Amino acid sequence: MRASIGPWIAAALAAAGILFGSAVQAAPDITPKPVSMAEAAGALRISDGATLKIDNPADRKTAAFLADLTARAGGPKLKLSQAPRLAVITFARGDVADPEGYRLEVSSQGVLVTARTEAGMFYGAMTLWQLLTAEPGKTVTLQGMRIDDAPRFKWRGLMLDSARHYQSPAFIRSLIDVMAAHKLNTLHWHLTDDQAWRLEIRKYPKLTEVGGWRVPAGEAPARDIDPATGKPRLYGGVYTQAEVKALVAYAAERQITIVPEIEMPGHASAASVAYPFLAAAPGSRTAVPSDWGVYPDIFNTDERTIGFLQDVLDEVVELFPSTYIHVGGDEAVKDQWKASPTIQAQMKALGLKDEHALQSWFVQRMEKHLSAKGRRLIGWDEILEGGLAPGATVMSWRGIGGALAAAKAGHDTVLSPAPILYFDNRQTRRSDEPPGRHFVVRLEDVYAFDPMPTQLSEAERRHVLGLQGNLWVEHIRTEARAAHMLFPRGLAVAERAWSPVGTRDVADFMRRAEPATARIRRLGFAAAETPFKGPETIADPLYRDSRQLKLCTTNIAIALEDDAPVRGERATFMTDIMNPCWIWEGADLTGVGAVRVDVGQLPFNYQIGKDIEKVVAGNSRTPEGELEVRVGGCKAEPIVVPLKPAAGNPAVTTLEAKLPPTTGSQDLCFTFARPKVDPMWALSGVWLEPRK
Ligand code: ACM
């Protein structure tokens, strides 16, 4: 089939400043955008029962997945066919330069997908899926075309934190489907942390039996007694090795590698509760903790602990065929190492000059162990401190400095810098965003991120493997919310990682992302629609959700979910945990007699080290504390409303502050005075009451 220079190419040339005719037909919407698309002669109707033939038996699973995914997205039912010479769709192995590349040709005779490898064929099939499911409908007419495509980067990733909250294997399968459909190929799976150890390790069963479960923070979970034990109900979950093997196989059929992460030497609490000898300060923790933030718990550095963790890695490499094994390395607080005479003596004996060098020694022990098994170690950028292990790959999260340092030192690197690729940040300022961090990372912001640092030389650039969006889930409790945070921002990661350098038309991307998101939702995956809704029009001038108020400060600002009720709908409070203070700017107080405030108390479950001293507290007049409302900004005299009526209620209580007669627009300021840091008080919403 020969491609004609059709109007799409004209569009591309027009975009490049070379103007062709004006009659431009829209190119099909494919995300990530292919390397080249050209219109060709003819058109093809594909309806229910259209046949699909494969050349190579290795492509059978790809064909079956295409048929399944097409039907699930509301497209025509495809029939896998063994024999017919004249199939509507043909998968043929052929000469395509890039091992992940493919060619897709549509003519009135049929669709021909050509690739050299299984991976290439899979990506061709996923492009065809997008052509077949642009709109739901059992009959699709495709314009003749030719697509030539191959990826820019090898590492096209998303990270899922399954430690802070557990997600079901069914959810992870649905995520894998959505990733695969958009040519993402790496699922970094964060399986262990302070708050849980999720991965079954046969040699050390207590890691999951003990480490997979905790009592969540707060009054409501503490009161939720499990009749079987007479103690607060445990919350959590574990992944059995059988479940993991099934997920790894499911992902592999979709060309996705699951890269497991086993955190060390920090983020060690859950493991150390299960096996106390693992702790550098044994006995310092006796229950799996439920605070967020960074715990001081760190693994011991004795041979017993090193051997234990290497045993764990032995089971990990049996379960995960991934070349890369992630060993964490981030946020390892070294205080317990500093305080241990045994560890200090060990450092001296090893000739290590400081605790960073000890972490480097620790990581090198793991690196040697993994490389002896033919695997490669990857870790967060802190593994650069104290000297990078030979052969280690660096995942750069504290900006891109780690990536630059790694590439310049001749090491491979993956970019996942905060905050731009941290999908626990909210994506719009709308009040219908679920809980998450206050910082706004819009879909178009993710799209604007280019993972290739301009500071690198040509040779150094070869060390940039690709990029990854990370979903930490401290504040993302449910699977539906995880889906909302991951997509459509995952589409921006996919396009940045796959499409050629220079693919930069954000308006075109946003236009494609909206129907792509609708299609993801047709698959049953709750991708966010908020990025396409536009700014909120505040319909009711008498009400503001906390997400619509201004925070006075944003030290650690998060939209937090209430801890109550344990089951059922919970309120969301946007607050700065360091300083509870909100402003309703320019509230029209004409005819307003009172302000009603929905308040709730939240556990202060944050490990923030010495910063705890900076939290605004200890300023109350009564044992329960007070809500303070100020008219005319935060410096005005407060109207003081006691919190006593709300103190016994773990869920939301409505309080009222009577206002003096006022007219016109005024800034309303809301703060809480409280006796101590825990519990925190926050407001979920405020409304103005007309004067009676
Ligand atoms: C990280 O966000 N601690 C890698």
Side-chain angles (χ1 to χ4, degrees):
M1 193 192 310
R2 265 189 52 215
S4 62
I5 295 184
W8 303 341
I9 285 195
L13 293 173
I18 305 160
L19 289 171
F20 272 61
S22 59
V24 173
Q25 183 180 341
D29 289 345
I30 297 165
T31 303
K33 202 172 176 62
V35 172
S36 84
M37 293 194 274
E39 192 183 340
L44 179 71
R45 246 167 83 97
I46 299 184
S47 314
D48 267 355
T51 48
L52 193 169
K53 181 180 86 159
I54 55 172
D55 241 16
N56 187 320
D59 296 327
R60 188 170 310 285
K61 285 184 171 139
T62 294
F65 182 55
L66 169 64
D68 172 52
L69 207 62
T70 302
R72 280 165 53 197
K77 288 203 168 51
L78 306 180
K79 212 168 86 197
L80 271 51
S81 182
Q82 309 287 347
R85 296 215 317 265
L86 288 173
V88 177
I89 299 164
T90 303
F91 286 0
R93 291 300 180 97
D95 201 19
V96 170
D98 192 298
E100 291 188 284
Y102 66 91
R103 183 165 64 245
L104 187 152
E105 294 156 291
V106 179
S107 72
S108 53
Q109 305 304 304
V111 179
L112 175 62
V113 184
T114 310
R116 180 151 60 87
T117 69
E118 228 173 289
M121 192 63 75
F122 185 85
Y123 296 127
M126 292 304 96
T127 292
L128 179 56
W129 174 72
Q130 298 200 5
L131 293 172
L132 294 175
T133 57
E135 304 278 345
K138 298 294 173 199
T139 299
V140 181
T141 302
L142 300 181
Q143 169 65 47
M145 72 181 86
R146 172 177 169 150
I147 294 174
D148 291 276
D149 203 8
R152 178 179 176 200
F153 288 110
K154 284 191 169 56
W155 190 296
R156 307 184 293 274
L158 292 178
M159 187 210 79
L160 178 66
D161 169 9
S162 294
R164 274 54 176 266
H165 295 287
Y166 167 90
Q167 304 90 15
S168 65
F171 172 78
I172 296 171
R173 284 194 296 275
S174 71
L175 171 61
I176 287 169
D177 283 354
V178 173
M179 289 175 67
H182 301 93
K183 305 186 178 77
L184 290 164
N185 70 348
T186 306
L187 175 59
H188 168 181
W189 198 10
H190 187 79
L191 283 161
T192 73
D193 214 303
D194 293 307
Q195 299 82 1
W197 182 290
R198 301 278 180 227
L199 178 66
E200 181 192 12
I201 299 295
R202 291 195 200 278
K203 191 163 183 188
Y204 303 116
K206 285 197 282 187
L207 283 171
T208 43
E209 288 168 9
V210 173
W213 305 90
R214 66 176 184 264
V215 180
E219 272 298 301
R223 293 185 202 175
D224 180 30
I225 302 301
D226 182 348
T229 61
K231 292 185 189 157
R233 198 183 304 275
L234 292 172
Y235 169 83
V238 304
Y239 302 106
T240 66
Q241 294 206 349
E243 285 171 331
V244 168
K245 280 185 196 149
L247 277 170
V248 166
Y250 188 90
E253 284 176 10
R254 289 152 181 79
Q255 302 303 321
I256 289 178
T257 302
I258 302 185
V259 175
E261 180 183 353
I262 305 296
E263 270 272 20
M264 59 186 86
H267 292 283
S269 308
S272 306
V273 172
Y275 293 94
F277 74 85
L278 296 173
S284 59
R285 202 163 300 284
T286 53
V288 178
S290 58
D291 284 8
W292 310 131
V294 180
Y295 279 92
D297 304 337
I298 190 166
F299 283 123
N300 207 335
T301 53
D302 60 349
E303 285 307 310
R304 191 176 174 202
T305 301
I306 297 283
F308 180 104
L309 292 170
Q310 290 177 341
D311 290 345
V312 166
L313 292 180
D314 289 348
E315 294 196 29
V316 167
V317 299
E318 287 298 315
L319 290 169
F320 295 93
S322 160
T323 302
Y324 293 93
I325 303 292
H326 204 302
V327 299
D330 60 318
E331 301 176 325
V333 179
K334 316 275 190 314
D335 294 352
Q336 295 179 353
W337 284 356
K338 286 191 183 125
S340 161
T342 317
I343 291 173
Q344 290 300 312
Q346 182 189 8
M347 274 170 57
K348 209 159 173 193
L350 289 166
L352 300 172
K353 79 172 193 314
D354 61 14
E355 290 74 20
H356 291 302
L358 182 59
Q359 168 153 343
S360 172
W361 170 87
F362 190 114
V363 172
Q364 288 186 42
R365 293 290 301 270
M366 301 303 152
E367 197 278 334
K368 278 204 196 84
H369 193 77
L370 288 171
S371 66
K373 292 172 181 290
R375 305 304 180 92
R376 301 188 66 177
L377 178 144
I378 183 166
W380 299 109
D381 55 51
E382 287 93 331
I383 67 170
L384 283 153
E385 293 163 3
L388 195 52
T393 298
V394 172
M395 188 168 270
S396 192
W397 74 277
R398 295 175 301 176
I400 65 164
L404 298 178
K408 284 181 188 296
H411 287 256
D412 288 348
T413 184
V414 175
L415 284 92
S416 63
I420 194 76
L421 293 181
Y422 268 45
F423 293 169
D424 52 344
N425 289 297
R426 62 183 173 155
Q427 52 203 316
T428 74
R429 295 179 191 284
R430 298 179 56 89
S431 62
D432 51 355
E433 287 294 353
R437 291 182 184 275
H438 174 262
F439 192 81
V440 178
V441 173
R442 300 174 310 157
L443 178 56
E444 40 286 51
D445 299 331
V446 180
Y447 193 73
F449 175 74
D450 194 294
M452 188 53 80
T454 51
Q455 300 93 321
L456 295 180
S457 71
E458 201 56 41
E460 290 159 355
R461 286 174 182 218
R462 280 198 280 279
H463 291 297
V464 176
L465 301 180
L467 73 156
Q468 176 175 294
N470 293 337
L471 186 65
W472 301 103
V473 301
E474 288 94 330
H475 310 296
I476 322 294
R477 186 171 55 91
T478 69
E479 293 174 350
R481 292 178 195 162
H484 178 103
M485 301 308 250
L486 283 164
F487 280 90
R489 289 184 290 194
L491 295 177
V493 173
E495 182 140 317
R496 240 342 112 241
W498 178 281
S499 303
V501 61
T503 311
R504 292 234 141 262
D505 184 343
V506 67
D508 177 61
F509 170 75
M510 292 300 285
R511 187 189 56 70
R512 282 180 283 125
E514 187 167 3
T517 298
R519 176 169 51 202
I520 291 170
R521 292 177 65 85
R522 294 206 294 279
L523 294 177
F525 192 84
E529 294 174 299
T530 46
F532 311 108
K533 285 183 176 171
E536 211 158 22
T537 49
I538 299 178
D540 182 353
L542 297 180
Y543 181 77
R544 290 289 182 280
D545 183 276
S546 65
R547 287 160 283 198
Q548 297 166 319
L549 297 172
K550 184 178 159 182
L551 293 178
C552 305
T553 52
T554 54
N555 301 297
I556 304 179
I558 315 170
L560 292 172
E561 193 188 37
D562 204 350
D563 59 323
V566 169
R567 280 164 287 280
E569 193 82 9
R570 302 180 188 178
T572 298
F573 307 90
M574 178 67 85
T575 186
D576 178 356
I577 68 165
M578 304 291 289
N579 176 33
C581 177
W582 301 255
I583 300 171
W584 182 337
E585 287 181 308
D588 182 358
L589 298 182
T590 308
V592 171
V595 49
R596 290 162 72 99
V597 186
D598 281 344
V599 305
Q601 53 190 309
L602 292 154
F604 188 92
N605 60 323
Y606 300 91
Q607 295 285 319
I608 55 171
K610 290 189 179 57
D611 281 349
I612 192 84
E613 288 155 24
K614 298 185 204 149
V615 176
V616 178
N619 51 348
S620 66
R621 303 155 185 86
T622 57
E624 295 84 9
E626 302 87 29
L627 165 70
E628 300 171 331
V629 181
R630 292 175 175 84
V631 180
C634 296
K635 294 219 162 72
E637 276 302 304
I639 300 160
V640 178
V641 184
L643 287 171
K644 191 167 183 179
N649 178 8
V652 168
T653 305
T654 303
L655 299 177
E656 185 174 281
K658 296 256 185 266
L659 301 187
T662 317
T663 54
S665 293
Q666 298 269 12
D667 285 355
L668 281 178
C669 176
F670 304 88
T671 54
F672 289 96
R674 56 185 162 149
K676 50 188 173 47
V677 168
D678 190 19
M680 297 191 275
W681 286 89
L683 60 81
S684 62
V686 183
W687 68 94
L688 306 179
E689 283 286 303
R691 190 170 294 284
K692 295 189 187 83

